[in-house]
Amino acid sequence: MARPRGSGDLIIKASVGRHLAFAPVAFAVTEGSGHALLYANAVFRRLFDAGQITIGPRPGAPASAADLAPLLDRVFESAETLRDAVVEPSGRGAVSWSCTVWPVPGPGDVPEKLVIEVRDVEMIEGAKERQRDIAQRLLLGALREQDIAREAMGASDRAQHLARAARDLSMSLDEDATRETVRRLTLPRPGTWCIVDVVESNGAVHRLAVVHPDPAKQALARKLEELWPREKADKTVVSPLQPTVITHESGPALLLASHGPENLRLLREIGFGSLLIVPLIVRARVHGAITFVSREGDAPFTPDETALAIDLAGRCAMALDNARLYREADALRLVAERANQVKGEFLGSMSHEFRTPLNAIGGFTELIDMGLQGAVTEAQHVSLARIKANQQHLIAMVTEVLNFVRVESGRMEYHIGPVQLGEAFTDVVEMLAVAISDKELTLERPHCALEAVALADPNRVRQVLVNLVMNAVKYTPQRGGTITLSCEVVGETVLAHVADTGPGIPRDKVESIFEPFVQLSSGPTDGQGGVGLGLAISRDLARAMNGDLIVESTVGVGSRFTLRLPMAKPALEKT
């Protein structure tokens, strides 16, 4: 069916116009070789009406108008699309236009119509410039973000490397193990290795065994250690006081850092990129140096790598110094233990040697006092009694020394079992009743709970309580003084308290009274003497029975000693 003439125009106008009417770019459609304007959107119409663009000669059009007809003729004849062709008007200052034209084929593929798109060249270039600017900014931002990510990753790697090294260095205080860890240190850069020189206590410089990452070069690296001189050296020769980077171009500094031409020859044979020498400094003293070596051909060490090397060197220096101090302290401990053992053996031997003549003195004194060797006057009886009292006092002191030696050497025997603290106090009071009465002291014994049963050695508990009560008697002023004995249960612990109204103990002396052979002055009332071992023995006995001995004291008020012991299981079950 024949289509009415002009109906196609209406269809094109309706369909194209609907989409392009308000487009920001100038669009138009022409028909035929004469380029009759079939459609123009609002932008194209405005440019056309203003005489800025024209299609062929147009009466009244300004000289600066851009004629699109030549471009349209070319497309109509070639039937090929023309893209971004620039139309330069003849007038100065006129707008240049970028024109894209594509054909709309009719019957037989011959162009029937042309579609035209017109853009302002300056607007296009401005858009392109803005696009380039945006693209450049995006690229710079991406590169910046990439650099930040790379730096963050590098910082993370360095932190992890430092953390691993710190962990390895803290694993042991053994000096050999610490040195083994130090000599295997590297930097995160692949292929790096290190040379470690340590200043010993006698001033000699010792190079630790060198470990190279390439087993094929280990023999050469080993020679770097063997060639190191063993004599004492100036510490500034061992290492500069500041981190130093040495390269192949460093000249005399390279020879100095290598410590001789033979060492330099070996380094060149092994191959290296650069040397980073970092001193091992701790407590303001140079203890050696670490020389980090990079692979041949690698770039010099970066500031970040230098900072990491300084951190590693600081931790190595501290670890090496701590290991050295631990070794020296352990050696001193062994010497002290041996000296203490010799002291104990001497005290034990001398105490046994004293016992024999003292017992003989006591025996002969009793024989004379009994009159078996002739008549004894009353005055002689008094003198013999004094001799006997002093002999017993010396025997007590010797016994105290022997007990101390046995406790300290671990030869004291313990027979652990239930001990009722109230009964133990009763036994001690009976033993020391005369001493308490002689000083006219008041003894107070509050009720002691039946469940106050300790798991301990009965004899050792009584020995501790005797020492505590005797100390209270000794240091409590005669007449008017009070000694209080009490016990209680706290959780799974039983406590035995011995309190007095003596002069008290100064705060700075509270711990020292438990040291061997330490004895505080008891004032003019002191007539007991002693060697100052009672409290030391008592605390050792308490701790050997899984307990403790503590004291609370106020000067001018008095003191309270507390024996802590674990509660016996039967007593725990009853509660």
Side-chain angles (χ1 to χ4, degrees):
M1 181 175 179
R3 186 177 61 182
R5 181 175 178 81
S7 62
D9 299 344
L10 295 175
I11 294 172
I12 291 174
K13 289 181 179 181
S15 60
V16 174
R18 195 165 47 245
H19 296 288
L20 301 179
F22 300 103
V25 180
F27 279 99
V29 179
T30 64
E31 183 178 33
S33 60
H35 313 307
L37 191 61
L38 187 64
Y39 168 79
N41 72 349
V43 177
F44 191 96
R45 179 64 63 183
R46 186 168 59 252
L47 297 175
F48 189 84
D49 293 344
Q52 290 183 281
I53 59 175
T54 184
I55 301 174
R58 180 182 170 193
S64 61
D67 187 5
L68 305 181
L71 296 180
L72 302 182
D73 291 341
R74 191 192 317 171
V75 174
F76 200 86
E77 291 173 1
S78 65
E80 294 181 353
T81 300
L82 181 66
R83 291 183 176 86
D84 299 325
V86 176
V87 180
E88 296 282 355
S90 59
R92 296 186 60 183
V95 178
S96 298
W97 303 98
S98 174
C99 187
T100 297
V101 184
W102 63 92
V104 178
D109 293 332
V110 177
E112 185 179 58
K113 299 176 178 63
L114 300 177
V115 180
I116 310 167
E117 174 191 323
V118 179
R119 296 174 182 266
D120 188 336
V121 171
E122 290 186 3
M123 292 179 62
I124 294 175
E125 291 301 321
K128 289 181 178 179
E129 184 65 30
R130 288 192 294 273
Q131 290 175 354
R132 284 194 293 269
D133 184 58
I134 292 173
Q136 185 178 15
R137 292 188 181 188
L138 289 174
L139 179 60
L140 290 175
L143 292 174
R144 190 179 300 111
E145 292 296 329
Q146 187 177 21
D147 290 342
I148 292 173
R150 188 183 298 111
E151 290 176 3
M153 186 176 296
S156 176
D157 290 343
R158 291 191 295 273
Q160 291 179 12
H161 186 85
L162 186 62
R164 285 193 297 268
R167 179 200 61 201
D168 294 341
L169 290 169
S170 64
M171 292 294 287
S172 173
L173 280 173
D174 179 75
E175 191 167 28
D176 291 337
T178 302
R179 290 187 172 194
E180 178 68 19
T181 301
V182 170
R183 76 186 185 92
R184 294 183 178 276
L185 278 178
T186 62
L187 290 174
R189 181 191 294 197
T192 58
W193 50 289
C194 73
I195 304 170
V196 183
D197 302 315
V198 178
V199 179
E200 304 290 3
S201 301
N202 61 0
V205 179
H206 175 215
R207 173 164 286 179
L208 304 186
V210 180
V211 179
H212 196 280
D214 185 355
K217 297 182 178 181
Q218 181 57 46
L220 290 172
R222 182 74 178 178
K223 290 183 180 179
L224 289 173
E225 173 201 355
E226 295 172 353
L227 289 175
W228 184 258
R230 303 295 178 180
E231 67 273 8
K232 294 183 179 180
D234 185 354
K235 294 175 185 177
T236 58
V237 175
V238 176
S239 166
L241 296 180
Q242 297 294 331
T244 304
V245 177
I246 304 293
T247 65
H248 289 276
E249 291 73 32
S250 297
L254 176 58
L255 181 63
L256 181 64
S258 304
H259 302 290
E262 183 61 19
N263 275 298
L264 179 56
R265 184 190 67 77
L266 283 172
L267 279 172
R268 292 189 187 279
E269 189 173 351
I270 294 171
F272 70 94
S274 58
L275 309 177
L276 173 56
I277 307 172
V278 186
L280 295 172
I281 300 176
V282 64
R283 301 181 181 93
R285 291 180 56 194
V286 178
H287 291 264
I290 296 183
T291 302
F292 293 97
V293 187
S294 67
R295 289 183 305 192
E296 189 170 12
D298 280 2
F301 290 104
T302 65
D304 286 338
E305 289 176 317
T306 302
L308 175 60
I310 293 171
D311 285 340
L312 284 172
R315 283 162 171 78
C316 288
M318 184 62 70
L320 289 169
D321 195 50
N322 287 341
R324 176 186 63 81
L325 293 174
Y326 179 79
R327 171 179 55 79
E328 293 175 354
D330 194 53
L332 292 174
R333 178 186 61 80
L334 293 175
V335 171
E337 287 180 353
R338 178 54 187 161
N340 195 46
Q341 181 182 356
V342 171
K343 177 200 71 176
E345 292 172 355
F346 171 77
L347 290 175
S349 175
M350 293 303 298
S351 298
H352 280 292
E353 293 297 325
F354 283 144
R355 258 184 183 279
T356 301
L358 285 173
N359 286 331
I361 291 171
F364 282 114
T365 300
E366 289 180 358
L367 291 176
I368 295 172
D369 194 41
M370 293 169 60
L372 297 180
Q373 304 211 357
V376 179
T377 65
E378 190 62 32
Q380 290 171 332
H381 280 298
V382 173
S383 297
L384 290 171
R386 290 178 177 173
I387 293 173
K388 182 66 176 176
N390 282 277
Q391 179 263 347
Q392 290 177 344
H393 178 58
L394 288 174
I395 286 289
M397 293 175 63
V398 169
T399 301
E400 201 172 41
V401 171
L402 284 174
N403 285 336
F404 172 72
V405 171
R406 281 198 292 269
V407 171
E408 197 174 54
S409 63
R411 296 198 301 267
M412 183 73 76
E413 294 183 359
Y414 297 89
H415 303 281
I416 304 299
V419 181
Q420 218 290 330
L421 291 184
E423 295 178 359
F425 269 136
T426 299
D427 296 340
V428 171
V429 170
E430 290 178 356
M431 293 170 59
L432 302 178
V434 175
I436 296 171
S437 177
D438 287 347
K439 287 196 68 173
E440 300 181 12
L441 301 176
T442 300
L443 179 65
E444 293 185 356
R445 292 190 59 192
H447 175 69
C448 191
L450 293 176
E451 62 268 21
V453 180
L455 187 64
D457 184 314
N459 292 328
R460 304 307 169 205
V461 171
R462 289 180 177 84
Q463 183 177 350
V464 173
L465 294 179
V466 166
N467 284 338
L468 297 181
V469 175
M470 281 301 298
N471 262 0
V473 172
K474 176 180 177 181
Y475 286 97
T476 303
Q478 191 169 3
R479 294 182 184 178
T482 301
I483 298 175
T484 304
L485 311 180
S486 60
C487 55
E488 61 177 320
V489 178
V490 178
E492 298 182 1
T493 303
V494 291
L495 309 177
H497 304 293
V498 178
D500 62 58
T501 56
I505 305 167
R507 182 173 298 178
D508 60 336
K509 302 290 186 181
V510 166
E511 282 302 315
S512 64
I513 62 173
F514 293 104
E515 296 295 325
F517 305 105
V518 172
Q519 189 175 25
L520 300 182
S521 172
S522 58
T525 61
D526 181 14
Q528 300 298 323
V531 291
L533 290 174
L535 290 177
I537 293 172
S538 297
R539 174 172 274 188
D540 287 342
L541 290 174
R543 290 178 175 176
M545 295 184 291
N546 298 316
D548 203 357
L549 180 62
I550 61 173
V551 62
E552 302 168 89
S553 186
T554 303
V555 175
V557 177
S559 305
R560 186 177 78 161
F561 288 83
T562 300
L563 172 63
R564 292 180 176 176
L565 292 169
M567 197 172 186
K569 288 184 178 179
L572 285 173
E573 292 171 0
K574 289 178 183 179
T575 58

